[in-house]
Amino acid sequence: MSGLTRPPAGTPFPLTYEQDWFHTKTRSDGWSHKNVQLGFEIRGDLDTGALAAAVRAFVVRHDALHLQLAPDPGPHPRQWTRYIGADEEVVQRLNVKAASPGQFSHYASALLSRDCVTPWSYGTQRPFRIRLLRYDANHHALLATFQNLVFDGRAHHLFGHEVWRDYEALRNGEPLPDAAPSFAAAAVRQRARTSGRQRERALASWRERLAFLTRTSWTAPAGDRRTESGAVGEELPAATVAALRGLCAEFRFTVLQSTVGFFVAALAARTGMAEVGLWTSMDSRSSRDTDVVGMFAGSCPLTIRDATADALAVRTQVRDQLLNALRHQGLTAEDLAALTREAEETGGAPVSRDIYVNLRRYEGESSVPDDGGRLRITADAYPLHRITFHDTFALHLRCTEFRDRLCIDLLYDGQRADRRLARSILDDMLAGITAAVRGARPAEA
């Protein structure tokens, strides 16, 4: 089965390991449903027909968006595809009567928020909802939500990139791609390439990492006080990112690996933690499946055993841990649950889940392509309205790398980590990056 060859519609195929993990979570008590959401504000002379056609082309060629499960899928479901019908509506177009642009934006946020938390009706509903709202001829909103079982961070990027690329192609009278790498084929390959020996190695790796996390529980530094939760953040401009990218190439790091290394070093310096256990979201796509839309992202632990080493050594540990985690994702949700129970029973303490790192990389610029200047397109324009998702981590680092900038946000829960600590860690990170790209050592704190 080649990357572009799909199994016939209706042919069952297995969930990816990451789908299995996510599906198991959705069946647990206290799970709060949330779809993946995208919202673009579009100003200018939009060709709504071309945009709707570009969105439809994306949905038709990516078979992850054709997935169906049984109405009551149970703990071990199979999935299959049901192709998009020729007359089936993909983009719902709405004319919105609003008193002002602000009221229009408020309505778009409310609608996106509702779609974000509406569960997928297994067996009957498509795993997406896409709306194109019109305020007037020069002001539109494109809203999209996708069931997380079929959509991850990489799919998020592919949607934004391919839809606006195809919009321009249609405006120029150029043909669109009519096929894309098959998610169904990629899911089959993922399961097939996990041999018994690979599974044993994955079990051993996870057993070791989870045992480590039972002894690295969070300890707030002296002087921390309880506050409201919040976030601090910075953006590194193109010149700094280019210099960092050059430095990383010299030592064979990626920018994101290096950034996490700076974070771990700063965390250790500010908290006194010699060992640091953290979690991250790992994308297990193979190199041949880079452009597959689907669900290949799942959380995994990283263990930094000497967080107080010199800066290069810490970054090397982070890189090696990320590569190790990538090699050992091939386990089921049942495997992970059993390993977690074993670690906690043996270690006599819960597995620590206090620190989380979320890493995303986009090949393009941070701004959305603007169709030759005819449109002004703003991504993430519509914040969720009256919906709050509580972070369960003491600290949550979010790093997003674009070609022209690096965005760093550090969220703190206010109970185990306060704003002052988060700010000092972020400042130390930035100082470390600045010193590294200048070829100097950071000043002593």
Side-chain angles (χ1 to χ4, degrees), residues 129 191 284 305:
R129 186 180 297 276
R191 292 285 185 148
S284 70
R305 298 181 180 277

Side-chain angles (χ1 to χ4, degrees), residues 43-47 137-138 167 171 371 374-375:
R43 299 279 191 146
D45 185 17
L46 177 68
D47 184 335
N138 292 293
Y167 173 78
R171 294 274 294 178
D371 188 34
R374 290 188 293 273
L375 300 177

